[in-house]
Amino acid sequence: MAKNQKYPENKHIALTADKAYKSGQAVAIGAYRGVALIDAEQGDRVTVWLDGSWEIDVTGALTEGQVVYLGSSGLTATANDTPWGVSNQAKATGTGPAEVAPFGMLAPSAGGSGE
């Protein structure tokens, strides 16, 4: 049996924070998309959950199954930002909580980073 396995399912992981994160904040590091479980400063290790669904503020109207994006000011329905997850519920326009599931790990794009 191999003894070099680190995470049996790679769903709750520790990554090096590319910026400061607050617990409950959307995270996009490389091809990973998840939610910070703990506060972390840039360069610290941050625990990121890549699975589940989260009630998190999103700007813009959503329909069930709609892709949610991560922009400079947080999650948004605007398609010109970084793909982050999918909405599990409809939400009227404005900024407010919605149930969203992060993509977890994105398939690599032509550039290889998943972004």
Side-chain angles (χ1 to χ4, degrees), residues 21-66:
Y21 287 103
K22 294 289 184 191
S23 177
Q25 184 177 0
V27 174
I29 298 175
Y32 286 111
R33 303 294 184 265
V35 174
L37 193 63
I38 61 171
D39 292 352
E41 296 299 320
Q42 183 175 2
D44 290 347
R45 299 293 279 177
V46 59
T47 302
V48 180
W49 282 42
L50 306 175
D51 63 346
S53 66
W54 303 82
E55 187 172 82
I56 193 164
D57 283 347
V58 179
T59 300
L62 295 172
T63 58
E64 287 183 1
Q66 181 177 339

Side-chain angles (χ1 to χ4, degrees), residues 6-105:
K6 297 285 285 182
Y7 296 108
E9 297 186 45
N10 204 52
K11 294 181 180 179
H12 310 138
I13 62 173
L15 298 170
T16 303
D18 58 340
K19 63 181 185 178
Y21 287 103
K22 294 289 184 191
S23 177
Q25 184 177 0
V27 174
I29 298 175
Y32 286 111
R33 303 294 184 265
V35 174
L37 193 63
I38 61 171
D39 292 352
E41 296 299 320
Q42 183 175 2
D44 290 347
R45 299 293 279 177
V46 59
T47 302
V48 180
W49 282 42
L50 306 175
D51 63 346
S53 66
W54 303 82
E55 187 172 82
I56 193 164
D57 283 347
V58 179
T59 300
L62 295 172
T63 58
E64 287 183 1
Q66 181 177 339
V67 174
V68 175
Y69 300 87
L70 182 59
S72 59
S73 60
L75 294 179
T76 178
T78 304
N80 63 351
D81 290 319
T82 302
W84 185 84
V86 62
S87 176
N88 287 354
Q89 71 178 77
K91 180 187 88 59
T93 192
T95 300
E99 183 184 353
V100 182
F103 284 139
M105 293 176 283

